[in-house]
Structure formats: structure tokens, C-alpha cells
Amino acid sequence: MDMSEAPRSHGDEVIVVARSGPLSGTVTVPGAKNSVLKLMAAALLADGTHLLTNVPVITDVEMMADLLRTLGVSITVHPTGTGETGQRLELVNTGAITPVAPFEQADRIRASVNLLGPLLSRFGEIEIGLPGGDDFGSRPIDMHLSGLEAMGAVFEVRPDCIVGRCDRLRGAEIEFGFPSVGATENILCAAVLADGTTVIRNAAREPEIVDLCAMLRRMGAHMDGEGTSTITVRGVVPGSLGPARHEVVTDRVQAATYIAAVGMCGGRVRIERAVADHMGVMLGRFTDMGLQIDTDEAGLTAACDRRLTSIDVATLPFPGVATDYKPLVVAMLSVADGTGIVTENLYPGRFRYVEELRKLGAGITIDGHHAVVRGVGHLTGARVDAPDIRAGAALVVAGLAASGITEIGEIHHIDRGYDDIVGRLAGLGAPISRESQAS
Ligand code: UD1
């Protein structure tokens, strides 16, 4: 990998933010972490040279690349060229794959669970270290396993890994109890090479699922219904899929982050490449809070000229408000007029950052899976630590609305999913920098 483009992530670095005046200018939103990692895993399904474009410069991509290299995929990262919106990733799968993902690597990244479907559908016996990722409570994978079992796989769950065995997987009717994004992705990847037709009912409908299906189709897979609750996949003969060239979908959570920043600071910002259809409900809630949002084919423009108004929000599967947006919404409510209640329906433990926002003076109480956020006149800068990717970004955004200086530590979490948040916000006029803690 060319390290000149590699995201820096040093334990001794902090993000330093001062209170910002109104933001202005244009920010271009990179490709989505929540898609690219799954697309990389899908490259296991077909031999040949796959090319992913619009790949964000984030450390989770590096970790997934390392994991895939361990399995036997050669990966070259081409830095963002002139006129390009992200890196290009060339993944060469010669078919000489060792289907064993060691615990030490799998534990570093949640998306390692996405190796299950592609590996099982090509190899009769696999071993995958139990996945890690953001720590916001229990993240079970029972639906992934039971779906694959319905297709003929047998699993043995050991303390630090899962061992899976199967002959050729066979198509099945699978109905999820909940529209899980990860389980839908794994079953999709397993079904494309299965013997017969697989129907996934109560499938996740997220834009990242549609993006994965677009890549699988380019590889020669047959499916329909993605983006709805029922996806039908007609398996093809093993060996008949080919490599794909695919552009990663825009990151809707990063797009929302820059909209949230406009809400906190005021101003008017062009958010290039944001896909309004992928964030419709969230955009509606931003509008309810007082932002003006104008959308078009190429992106959107967000403006705010008043104090935000409080609203109540509940996280839900797509098209609802995604759990990943929630820390941003809590940060916005912390300075809004009135009291808002935020309900977390996906991950009840995902409120750890609230303690950090309180250090900035936010008036938040937690009651079960609800956060009651009483807007305060202003936040006050303090030293805080990023507990996970999205919470880290929310702390950055909160710092923009805090008097004095906010210093955010543990920013390696932010680097896992945000492609140069500091440079992008600075480009909009925000007083923000990345500094060595020692200085
Ligand atoms: C979830 C989010 C996704 C986000 C990602 C990273 C949703 C629906 N999914 O995806 O948008 O990008 O986190 O923050 O918002 N579950 C089980 N058993 C399983 C799988 C899941 O009980 O086998 C439960 C989870 O505990 C959770 C819910 O289902 O309560 C959603 O899980 P899922 O969509 O699979 O999570 P991710 O794929 O991680």
C-alpha cells in the first residue's frame, strides 16, 4: 500500500476544535465504510482482478485488506488521483485462498463476519475468528448462522472462532426475525453460488445492501428485489462468476455529519455526492430541527440560520433513522431549544458517549434505551475521548459549538470510518486541527 495516502492513526494524536462561526463552502462526501468492507469480502466469490473505486481512506479498509491478504487475496491500493473521489483498490483473487481468518485480525473489525457467506459458498470448511468492531453492547450473529444452516452449513462455535462446514450450499427460504444488515449480506453472498433459489424475507433494505447487489450482479449473479423486504437470488454454477469493477456508494453517515455540523454552527454548505434518497427520513428530521435542505441529482445544500429546535427520534432499520446517525442527533439536541428524546432500538448499549458530551456541559439523562436531551444555551470545551466511530464524530461536531477548546482523544476510532474529517471541516471554515498530544 502506498502509505502517502494511508490514514494516519497514532495513539498520541488528538483533534483540537474551537467554537466555529457559520460554515461555508463545498465538501465532497467519500464512499461508505459500511459498504466498501462488504464489497471487499465479496471479491472472494470470483477469481480474477476486481476493481473498487471511490474507496474511502480509512483504517477499517486497511484492516480488511490485511485480513484478505492473509486469506490469499493480493491487494494494491492506488491513491486518489486528480478528479477521483477516492482511492482505487485492486483485489486479485487467484483462487488460492486459505479460508481461515485468524482471531487476532478478525477481532479488529466487525465486518470480518462478512467473510462467512463468501467463504462458505466457495470452500467446504472455513474458520473465522469471532468479529470485533465498535463496542456498543452485544452484537449477536445467530441470524447469520441460522440462515446459513438452512442452506446446509453446519457450525461449531468455539471460544474465539467459528468453524463452518458444508457441501455445496443449497437455496432456501429464509425469513429473518429482524431485518439485519449483516445477516442479509452474508446470505446474499452465500446464495449467489448456491444450488437453487434462495428467498430472503424481511431482508434489510439499506442502500449498502443495494450496493452489494449491484457488485454481485456485475460479477454475474442473478437476483432481484434488493431494496425491498424480499430478495430472490438464483444461484449460479460455482466458477461462473467473474471479477467486477464497481464504484462504492456514497457514505450517508458522513454526509449527515457535515449536515449536523451546519446545524451546530449555522451557515450554508454544499454537500457534494450526498444521495438524498438514501437519507430521506433523516433529512426530514434535520428539517424538523430547523435546517433548510435542498436536494438535487449531484448532492444537497444544507443551511441553518437559527437555533435548532428539539425533536424526538427513534432509530430503526432503513428507511428509518439509522443507529449510526444517533450520536450526531444527540449532539445537535444538546444545544437545541427544548427537550428531545432519542430512542435506540438497535443497540441499547450505544449511549457510552453521553458521558463525554456531559463533560462539555450537555444535559442528557439515560433511561433504559432512551436518552432525554435537554438543550442548553451553550456547550463548554473540555478534554473528551472518542468511544467509537460515530460517537467520535459527534464529539467533533459538538466541539464546534462549544466555547473554548475541545480536545478529542482516542481518535483512532474516528479514523476507522471517517476520511479526513478534520481537513473537510477546516475546508468549510471550522477552526479544527489534528495535533500531536505532546505538543
Ligand atoms: C448495524 C446497522 C447498520 C450500521 C451498523 C454499524 C441497522 C439495521 N443496522 O448493522 O445500519 O451501519 O450497525 O453501526 O441499523 N441481530 C441479532 N442477531 C443477528 C444479527 C443482528 O440479534 O444475527 C440484532 C442486533 O443485535 C441488532 C439488530 O439485530 O439489535 C441489527 O443488527 P444488524 O443490522 O445485523 O447490525 P449490523 O449489520 O451491525
Side-chain angles (χ1 to χ4, degrees), residues 33-34 38 110 114 134 136 138-145 178-185 204 206 208 252-253 315-318 321-324 345-348 350 390:
K33 171 187 91 79
N34 287 345
K38 328 302 178 57
R110 168 74 186 173
N114 279 75
D134 277 339
F136 37 70
S138 158
R139 300 181 80 170
I141 56 168
D142 54 299
M143 286 192 274
H144 303 235
L145 300 184
F178 182 91
S180 156
V181 175
T184 302
E185 290 162 342
E206 270 69 0
E208 295 77 22
R252 58 199 167 107
V253 190
T315 62
L316 285 170
F318 191 83
V321 171
T323 178
D324 282 350
N345 289 317
L346 283 308
Y347 294 103
R350 202 170 183 181
R390 311 301 174 189

Side-chain angles (χ1 to χ4, degrees), residues 2-31:
D2 179 332
M3 295 309 286
S4 63
E5 270 252 341
R8 296 176 306 159
S9 197
H10 305 301
D12 61 348
E13 283 188 321
V14 291
I15 293 177
V16 179
V17 192
R19 184 176 203 143
S20 179
L23 301 177
S24 65
T26 298
V27 61
T28 301
V29 187

